[in-house]
Amino acid sequence: GAVVSQHPSWVICKSGTSVKIECRSLDFQATTMFWYRQFPKQSLMLMATSNEGSKATYEQGVEKDKFLINHASLTLSTLTVTSAHPEDSSFYICSARDGQLYNQPQHFGDGTRLSIL
Amino acid sequence: DAKTTQPNSMESNEEEPVHLPCNHSTISGTDYIHWYRQLPSQGPEYVIHGLTSNVNNRMASLAIAEDRKSSTLILHRATLRDAAVYYCILRTGFQKLVFGTGTRLLVSP
């Protein structure tokens, strides 16, 4: 089945640091990728949608200068949390979809747990 | 986006069938019913989806009401590994998946 690999699985860093999270589709071409954030005991919240070669579309309330998304190839998208602060600590999950297939499932990575000290 | 309503939590015993309900009274004609589940500390996992007819796969069955205003995810024999949060989501075509609060399934040995 379709596999989405997310790296790193967890990261701890100091406040003010920028952190990059990678999301790769291993066996399909992901024309569209999604980034979600999940706080403890809450549901997933969609942050942004990115299409390969285009600028990401951010959901209302998500700062695009804070959360930089790059989707430069059909198999790789990155999320960079710039100048991270403790309130950015969360579980970040990427998802990818094979854009060639109508109404097919989205495939999810295993998430990145980000802790900002 | 059309909304779904699910119970906050359900309990089951191991090796018993589990029926997880979902109400979606404002579903549109083009909305597919998708089910995902999320195990602790993992990303969501696709379970099943359907439009009008009941669907079966190796993980579960999806029973869709004739008027499509509700559906039921059926796990035929629950195992401890099925303990997760189950999300029922409506989606048309290439739309993004928007998650609700889901149903937390507890499975007892």
Side-chain angles (χ1 to χ4, degrees):
Chain A
V3 177
V4 173
S5 174
Q6 192 171 338
H7 178 81
S9 54
W10 60 270
V11 60
I12 302 173
C13 59
K14 294 180 179 179
S15 184
T17 307
S18 291
V19 179
K20 180 184 284 188
I21 302 169
E22 290 188 349
C23 179
R24 295 180 184 273
S25 58
L26 298 187
D27 51 2
F28 67 100
Q29 293 186 331
T31 53
T32 305
M33 287 187 167
F34 307 87
W35 288 93
Y36 293 82
R37 181 167 57 180
Q38 186 175 33
F39 292 108
K41 300 191 183 303
Q42 294 187 22
S43 187
L44 284 79
M45 184 193 77
L46 180 65
M47 299 174 67
T49 302
S50 70
N51 291 297
E52 184 264 337
S54 302
K55 288 185 178 180
T57 301
Y58 291 81
E59 296 297 307
Q60 191 172 8
V62 178
E63 300 175 59
K64 61 180 181 181
D65 295 330
K66 174 77 170 174
F67 300 99
L68 301 179
I69 293 172
N70 184 281
H71 190 171
S73 79
L74 287 173
T75 60
L76 173 65
S77 176
T78 60
L79 168 68
T80 301
V81 183
T82 63
S83 186
H85 292 285
E87 58 266 28
D88 298 322
S89 298
S90 189
F91 191 48
Y92 292 86
I93 306 168
C94 73
S95 177
R97 183 180 67 208
D98 184 341
Q100 304 303 317
L101 303 176
Y102 183 80
N103 200 46
Q104 289 302 300
Q106 280 180 217
H107 307 286
F108 290 82
D110 280 338
T112 296
R113 192 161 301 281
L114 175 63
S115 295
I116 309 298
L117 304 178
Chain B
D1 297 329
K3 295 199 180 298
T4 63
T5 303
Q6 299 178 254
N8 288 332
S9 64
M10 291 185 65
E11 295 185 23
S12 174
N13 294 318
E14 204 174 7
E15 298 191 3
E16 289 185 355
V18 180
H19 291 230
L20 298 168
C22 181
N23 289 320
H24 29 78
S25 59
T26 59
I27 190 171
S28 74
T30 56
D31 282 333
Y32 280 70
I33 302 158
H34 289 252
W35 284 82
Y36 286 76
R37 71 180 186 181
Q38 186 178 22
L39 279 64
S41 299
Q42 295 187 24
E45 173 186 29
Y46 166 77
V47 178
I48 200 166
H49 76 288
L51 181 62
T52 56
S53 302
N54 294 343
V55 185
N56 300 297
N57 66 21
R58 63 176 179 81
M59 289 181 68
S61 295
L62 176 59
I64 301 172
E66 196 169 337
D67 62 6
R68 300 211 322 127
K69 293 185 177 182
S70 65
S71 60
T72 302
L73 179 70
I74 302 167
L75 306 179
H76 296 285
R77 287 183 66 205
T79 68
L80 296 179
R81 291 181 60 188
D82 291 321
V85 178
Y86 287 79
Y87 298 96
C88 169
I89 304 170
L90 303 183
R91 197 189 82 181
T92 293
F94 294 109
Q95 287 179 347
K96 56 198 175 187
L97 279 178
V98 178
F99 286 78
T101 54
T103 296
R104 181 174 299 278
L105 176 64
L106 304 172
V107 181
S108 302

